[in-house]
Amino acid sequence: MLKLPGLIDPHVHFREPGATRKEDWDTGTSAALAGGFTVVLAMPNTKPPIFDAQTLDIALNAAKLKARCDYAQYLGAGPDNAEIVASLADKAAALKMYLDMTFGELRLDDMTLWMPHFEKYPKEYPIVVHAESRSMAAAILFAAIYNRPVHIAHISLKEEILLIKAAKEKGIKVTCEVCPHHLFLTQDLSGLRSGRKEVRPRLATQKDVDALWENLNIIDCFATDHAPHTLEEKDSENPPPGFPGLETALPLFLTAVSESRLTIPDIIEKMYTNPKKIFHLPEQLETSIEVDEDAKYKITAAEQFTRCGWTPFEGWKVKGRVSRVVLRGREAYRDGKILVEAGYGRNIRDAL
Ligand code: DOR
Ligand code: ZN
């Protein structure tokens, strides 16, 4: 058994409030524990979106009752809430800005709407941007102009990783994350029905995937972007974009370790040390996970805790299984069973 720190996922979508048929704080945090994560940072594109004190309370009250692992909730940047979200910063994971089209209502396309957020959001927290390609370049320019940390969510393209590399060399305060699906899948993926390939950012080309692997040292974090939509929705006329990812990320990365494409120190750095530093997360005492590095098995949605009922990695052969999770002194997961009750999870931004 290999012992690792409790992992941190800085990017998940639980659908509560608003769409608990896809996921809620209970099933989402159960999936997290089963995947080896002891902290998750939840995105604000719920219904309603989380963008002021009242909506933050709605999400945090649901989380308090139902979460089984530790968590924090993001605030969403809207056209006129810069002052409000800045005043709530200490209670939130960080600020999320949607600069490109995706699932939900929080898009900000006019740069004059970005400015107040960059001016006002406290600099000790990053602004996390969904910004692809040239919008990503604009977000990096904003980081430089306002001299503040910006974290680029789910990068997927060669041009993105190369520009981030150049920006880091100039000392701009930019960090980034990459999702397993952008490291293990390409747009030519056969065998998946078309709705099940929909994700934002879209799956990219082999050239893009290769560039991400070649520049692992530039990638600060691995994040799942766990974005559950039901199988029925994914196979419908109008499939919403998004993949579940919490329960498949670590097995995929451990498999990459067994193939010498990655190392255990890479996993610890990108799934614990760096997210903890970037988001100023507290130490979780008496918290660790155990993995069986030699366990070989096939990924199947039937064994998952997520409510969405599918995975793009169905049938993939992997090597490496989470066998045990200890969270703040309690055994929270062992051999396929969640052992802590709903409500055990804590908001890591609550004063201790
Ligand atoms: O594929 C995606 N799904 N990308 C996003 O940016 C949003 C997410 C979701 O919430 O479903
Ligand atoms: Zn997302």
Side-chain angles (χ1 to χ4, degrees):
M1 291 292 165
L2 170 73
K3 195 168 165 186
L4 298 174
L7 303 179
I8 299 166
D9 190 345
H11 191 150
V12 303
H13 299 263
F14 294 158
R15 305 302 189 180
E16 187 167 11
T20 52
R21 67 176 187 286
K22 299 175 196 266
E23 199 79 291
D24 70 0
W25 279 94
D26 181 350
T27 54
T29 52
S30 297
L33 286 173
F37 296 96
T38 54
V39 186
V40 289
L41 306 185
M43 285 294 162
N45 62 336
T46 47
K47 274 192 178 142
I50 309 308
F51 66 102
D52 62 8
Q54 198 196 347
T55 49
L56 181 60
D57 268 355
I58 294 173
L60 291 181
N61 287 337
K64 190 173 189 156
L65 290 174
K66 295 167 115 177
R68 294 179 198 251
C69 73
D70 293 352
Y71 58 88
Q73 170 66 51
Y74 279 93
L75 293 158
D80 50 18
N81 69 346
E83 220 146 279
I84 293 167
V85 288
S87 75
L88 294 169
D90 288 336
K91 296 183 179 175
L95 181 69
K96 178 71 183 286
M97 296 182 71
Y98 287 91
L99 310 182
D100 288 304
M101 194 57 116
T102 185
F103 184 74
E105 303 152 22
L106 281 167
R107 182 167 167 203
L108 293 177
D109 34 17
D110 179 337
M111 283 191 286
T112 63
L113 301 177
W114 308 2
M115 292 170 185
H117 289 291
F118 274 81
E119 276 160 19
K120 295 193 171 123
Y121 205 77
K123 286 187 182 176
E124 60 264 40
Y125 300 107
I127 291 180
V128 178
V129 294
H130 180 134
E132 301 177 33
S133 188
R134 293 173 190 191
S135 337
M136 189 205 77
I140 293 176
L141 180 63
F142 267 64
I145 292 172
Y146 291 90
N147 187 28
R148 60 153 307 129
V150 168
H151 180 76
I152 316 285
H154 43 50
I155 63 165
S156 62
L157 302 176
K158 179 173 182 176
E159 61 179 25
E160 292 170 348
I161 191 83
L162 294 183
L163 192 69
I164 289 172
K165 183 170 185 232
K168 285 185 172 190
E169 281 162 8
K170 287 277 181 213
I172 297 174
K173 294 181 179 128
V174 58
T175 54
C176 68
E177 66 188 33
V178 176
C179 305
H181 48 269
H182 292 123
L183 285 168
F184 295 103
L185 303 175
T186 65
Q187 61 191 193
D188 326 303
L189 186 71
S190 57
L192 265 197
R193 290 172 69 159
S194 64
R196 298 190 201 182
K197 291 184 202 169
E198 285 296 334
V199 66
R200 299 292 176 276
R202 288 186 170 82
L203 295 177
T205 66
Q206 191 62 50
K207 173 196 82 176
D208 294 303
V209 171
D210 292 344
L212 296 178
W213 282 102
E214 279 157 22
N215 289 283
L216 274 180
N217 62 328
I218 305 301
I219 300 171
D220 298 281
C221 308
F222 291 146
T224 65
D225 196 7
H226 178 79
H229 298 285
T230 65
L231 201 49
E232 197 187 348
E233 293 163 335
K234 292 298 281 181
D235 289 345
S236 70
E237 287 281 288
N238 231 334
F243 293 164
L246 279 167
E247 290 160 272
T248 45
L250 185 57
L252 290 166
F253 289 130
L254 290 170
T255 307
V257 170
S258 77
E259 293 162 351
S260 307
R261 305 175 74 193
L262 204 62
T263 64
I264 295 290
D266 289 333
I267 292 185
I268 296 173
E269 177 190 81
K270 296 176 202 310
M271 301 179 83
Y272 171 72
T273 318
N274 286 346
K276 184 163 177 257
K277 192 161 47 178
I278 292 167
F279 293 90
H280 299 291
L281 305 177
E283 190 72 40
Q284 291 180 295
L285 299 173
E286 291 182 70
T287 298
S288 61
I289 68 169
E290 283 170 27
V291 300
D292 178 353
E293 285 173 286
D294 298 321
K296 285 188 185 171
Y297 60 103
K298 274 190 189 170
I299 290 176
T300 170
E303 283 177 11
Q304 296 195 337
F305 287 88
T306 174
R307 190 168 280 151
C308 70
W310 77 288
T311 161
F313 301 104
E314 183 72 40
W316 279 44
K317 287 188 191 141
V318 286
K319 188 174 173 200
R321 192 196 282 280
V322 179
S323 53
R324 185 164 180 258
V325 175
V326 176
L327 172 54
R328 287 181 279 103
R330 264 185 71 187
E331 193 168 58
Y333 173 87
R334 181 169 208 138
D335 297 334
K337 292 202 174 60
I338 303 290
L339 302 173
V340 286
E341 64 282 2
Y344 183 68
R346 282 205 198 141
N347 182 350
I348 52 89
R349 293 291 189 231
D350 277 349
L352 292 178

